[in-house]
Amino acid sequence: MNGEIWILASLEKGSMAEETYGLVAEAWRLRGAGGADRITVLVPGGLPGEELPNLGSCGVDRVLILEGPGFAQYDGEFWARKLSALTRDRAPYLILMAHNALTEDLGPRWAASLEAGFLSRACDLWPDPGGLVTGLRAIANGHLFEEVEFLAGSPFLVSFLPSILTAVEKGAKRLPEIESITAGGPAESGRVNLLEVIAADPESAALEDAEIIVSGGRGVGSGAAFQVVWDLARALGGSVAGTRPVIDWQTLPFERQIGQTGKTVTPRLLIACGLSGANEFTAGMEKSQQVIAINTDPRARIFQFADLGVVGDVHVILPRLAERIEKEKHGGQDT
Ligand SMILES: Cc1cc2nc3c(=O)[nH]c(=O)nc-3n(C[C@H](O)[C@H](O)[C@H](O)COP(=O)(O)OP(=O)(O)OC[C@H]3O[C@@H](n4cnc5c(N)ncnc54)[C@H](O)[C@@H]3O)c2cc1C
């Protein structure tokens, strides 16, 4: 059999999360390295049939569905044990996953039981001529990057920052090869029981992990005036951030500051509200995938960084936007 690149699928409410397709794009880029010319997606817990042609049209060769009660919900010990046995058996070259709470736990367990290396939060990866792999990741709050080289041979386990993953180009619909593996239940696992999964409140989640950020500046105002930013973030399921004046007013704590002396963020969407886009602020957000800027001044520097610019007053626009989003979420009915 030819070498394979494996992708651990991320599922959201039973559907394939967009980041899985981003990993397919990375796998295509790395295809051929170490002789690995097949892409296999591992799907724990089953997959709706309509996703299969989508995976096929992205160039996925095979989908490996991991079935059985033990894969119905995450169990670190059990998943790591089963996945490492499968890895030993099939010897893939590279194993890619998206960085999230699940892989932060699973990745090190999976790698340790294989005595393999694990590179987390990668933002780039390239094969070495000698058949090994080197990756790049941000450290020191994004101010520095480090190159990390795997010293031992495959498999190489790597988690990618979701925000750097871009959509894969789709071709004609086709069905990938499908294989199902049924494993026993988590009763086999033993030492730890998962009692409950408690979702983090997105408004207060760490900015570095946020997919959506609503950031306010001096133009929003301090204290109660800032509520419009919180309301929009809540409607979008996003996190709240601010520029330095907002932190200086103590409207937000320091860990919510974006910029040169604050956090470096890479969300899928950043909404910049009533902020000018000073150098020291944009240094911390210029790698955001999509930026929407709202400012009364059409010459504001932030518009140079925006995919969509709205000239207007945040106190008029944000409440309307939040209201409209809430309405859409409730099927067009007033809340
Ligand atoms: C060494 C150093 C480090 C720094 N580090 C950081 C940092 O990490 N992060 C950071 O953010 N700053 C940092 N700063 C400060 C930075 O230089 C800017 O002063 C700051 O980013 C400006 O914040 P602002 O955009 O909110 O305010 P302003 O520059 O005052 O901009 C306010 C904007 O709001 C608009 N506006 C006003 N009213 C409305 C309204 N009703 N609706 C819509 N728009 C409106 C205005 O047109 C204006 O563009 C640093 C400065 C120094 C010297």
Side-chain angles (χ1 to χ4, degrees), residues 10-335:
S10 308
L11 298 173
E12 269 172 7
K13 296 177 187 148
S15 296
M16 196 65 84
E18 207 44 48
E19 61 201 31
T20 306
Y21 291 100
L23 290 171
V24 176
E26 288 299 319
W28 262 100
R29 197 177 56 75
L30 293 157
R31 204 176 164 121
D37 60 0
R38 280 168 62 83
I39 300 175
T40 293
V41 174
L42 274 60
V43 187
L47 180 71
E50 66 267 19
E51 295 276 7
L52 289 169
N54 289 336
L55 286 170
S57 67
C58 298
V60 170
D61 299 293
R62 197 157 61 105
V63 172
L64 197 54
I65 299 175
L66 306 167
E67 291 179 317
F71 280 112
Q73 71 171 8
Y74 180 62
D75 177 329
E77 262 181 285
F78 177 79
W79 284 35
R81 184 143 35 84
K82 293 293 173 192
L83 288 168
S84 8
L86 194 64
T87 311
R88 270 194 215 96
D89 193 34
R90 311 269 176 115
Y93 171 70
L94 192 60
I95 301 174
L96 306 179
M97 56 197 99
H99 171 79
N100 53 41
L102 186 151
T103 58
E104 213 168 6
D105 184 75
L106 177 65
R109 288 176 187 268
W110 189 352
S113 54
L114 292 166
E115 294 187 23
F118 177 54
L119 171 62
S120 62
R121 303 177 75 106
C123 51
D124 198 2
L125 193 71
W126 59 93
D128 297 338
L132 300 180
V133 166
T134 301
L136 189 74
R137 68 175 161 197
I139 54 169
N141 193 24
H143 292 287
L144 298 171
F145 285 89
E146 66 176 5
E147 264 186 32
V148 182
E149 185 185 25
F150 283 89
L151 296 176
S154 65
F156 309 105
L157 288 93
V158 180
S159 75
F160 269 91
L161 275 186
S163 49
I164 65 99
L165 296 169
T166 49
V168 64
E169 277 185 31
K170 291 188 180 166
K173 292 226 166 185
R174 68 176 180 91
L175 277 182
E177 207 180 290
I178 300 163
E179 185 184 343
S180 292
I181 293 184
T182 306
E188 285 179 36
S189 117
R191 275 176 292 185
V192 177
N193 267 348
L194 179 73
L195 298 179
E196 192 187 353
V197 176
I198 303 166
D201 177 358
E203 288 164 42
S204 50
L207 287 181
E208 300 92 320
D209 297 331
E211 297 263 301
I212 299 174
I213 296 176
V214 184
S215 179
R218 200 196 304 268
V220 176
S222 61
F226 211 76
Q227 189 59 39
V228 287
V229 172
W230 284 102
D231 291 345
L232 180 59
R234 187 165 305 125
L236 287 166
S239 284
V240 170
T243 57
R244 188 147 111 181
V246 174
I247 309 307
D248 290 344
W249 292 331
Q250 299 186 345
T251 291
L252 289 179
F254 174 65
E255 69 265 18
R256 305 258 128 214
Q257 178 179 320
I258 292 176
Q260 188 185 313
T261 44
K263 295 276 171 69
T264 300
V265 296
T266 52
R268 284 187 194 281
L269 173 66
L270 184 138
I271 306 186
C273 312
L275 58 88
S276 58
N279 262 334
E280 294 84 359
F281 173 77
T282 55
M285 51 64 74
E286 57 198 3
K287 293 210 176 75
S288 304
Q289 281 185 17
Q290 295 282 320
V291 176
I292 299 176
I294 305 165
N295 197 304
T296 43
D297 177 2
R299 289 159 304 150
R301 184 173 181 268
I302 192 64
F303 287 130
Q304 295 171 24
F305 295 79
D307 300 280
L308 175 69
V310 181
V311 178
D313 185 338
V314 286
H315 289 287
V316 175
I317 294 168
L318 298 196
R320 286 193 193 163
L321 199 52
E323 191 187 334
R324 180 71 185 268
I325 292 164
E326 290 292 2
K327 199 170 166 183
E328 291 296 324
K329 282 192 331 203
H330 294 87
Q333 307 292 316
D334 285 324
T335 51

